[in-house]
Amino acid sequence: MGSQKESMLSVEGLSCKVYWEFVGVPTASCPSPGCEEVLLRGHGAYRRYVGGQYAWVRRLRCPRCRVSHALLPDDLCAYRDSRLGEVEVALTAGTPSLGAEAAGQTGSDGVRRVRRWLRAAAGSLSEKIKALLPAVAGPWWQRAQAAVGSAAGWLCRLRHWLWSSASCFLGGLSGLYRHGRPGRWSPRGSP
Ligand SMILES: [Zn+2]
């Protein structure tokens, strides 16, 4: 499954659809504070499940601070074999069974999976994301849609928006990672 302690980042436009056809090292600068001008270099790859199959995920490393980053397709969840597009339609569907249907998650396993997504989305992630978005009444995804639009792909756009506006990587449902890094942190520095 790859290292779960590694930093993560995505490059806009490098979706699952194009990620595995892309040759070469995408241009990305180091997200670590003080390294903004430093371009990351290729640093191998690891395997993880995508669509039920093993796929290679590139690693990039900063020649200055030496931190390595997993380069995730920009529409793929961290630590889950799910795409942001599936999760976003499930979130807004209203119920787990409607969500499962919308996300193409079949059977009772699919409903259980979506129920886990909804639980994860309603937990601490929700508060963290809300704190970073302009205030709008309703759940965090309504705030998110107000910020990045509600057309399909809004969760992916939110990932890029949070990255450029708050230096936080949206894992999907697994959390928010300051500068892409795992670890405990709170928005606005409160404990
Ligand atoms: Zn660096």
Side-chain angles (χ1 to χ4, degrees), residues 30 32 35 62 64-65:
C30 180
S32 303
C35 283
C62 176
R64 183 173 172 273
C65 70

Side-chain angles (χ1 to χ4, degrees), residues 129-140 142-144 146-147 161 188:
I129 293 180
K130 269 183 161 179
L132 296 171
L133 291 167
V136 167
W140 66 265
Q142 287 178 1
R143 284 193 192 200
W161 190 89
R188 294 174 184 164

Side-chain angles (χ1 to χ4, degrees), residues 101-124:
E101 199 182 320
Q105 303 291 319
T106 52
S108 51
D109 279 354
V111 175
R112 266 197 296 278
R113 188 172 307 121
V114 167
R115 198 168 276 130
R116 282 198 299 274
W117 292 354
L118 297 179
R119 243 194 326 264
S124 65

Side-chain angles (χ1 to χ4, degrees), residues 84-85 87-93 129 133-159 161-162:
L84 297 182
V87 171
E88 71 177 28
V89 293
L91 284 179
T92 51
I129 293 180
L133 291 167
V136 167
W140 66 265
W141 52 88
Q142 287 178 1
R143 284 193 192 200
Q145 291 181 336
V148 302
S150 59
W154 62 265
L155 199 49
C156 185
R157 291 197 298 280
L158 179 67
R159 173 179 274 179
W161 190 89
L162 290 169

Side-chain angles (χ1 to χ4, degrees), residues 30-36 38 40 62-67 69 181:
C30 180
S32 303
C35 283
E36 289 83 0
V38 183
L40 300 171
C62 176
R64 183 173 172 273
C65 70
R66 307 259 161 207
V67 172
H69 306 267
R181 295 193 190 178

Side-chain angles (χ1 to χ4, degrees), residues 8-16 48 70-80 82-85 87-88 129 133 140 144 148 153-177:
M8 292 168 287
L9 57 79
S10 291
V11 172
E12 202 160 353
L14 214 53
S15 63
C16 288
R48 63 158 277 182
L71 178 71
L72 294 186
D74 74 349
D75 57 348
L76 185 66
C77 288
Y79 308 138
R80 282 173 207 259
S82 314
R83 304 199 183 186
L84 297 182
V87 171
E88 71 177 28
I129 293 180
L133 291 167
W140 66 265
V148 302
W154 62 265
L155 199 49
C156 185
R157 291 197 298 280
L158 179 67
R159 173 179 274 179
H160 294 298
W161 190 89
L162 290 169
W163 185 251
S164 60
S165 68
S167 300
C168 291
F169 184 80
L170 174 63
L173 293 167
S174 61
L176 272 180
Y177 303 87

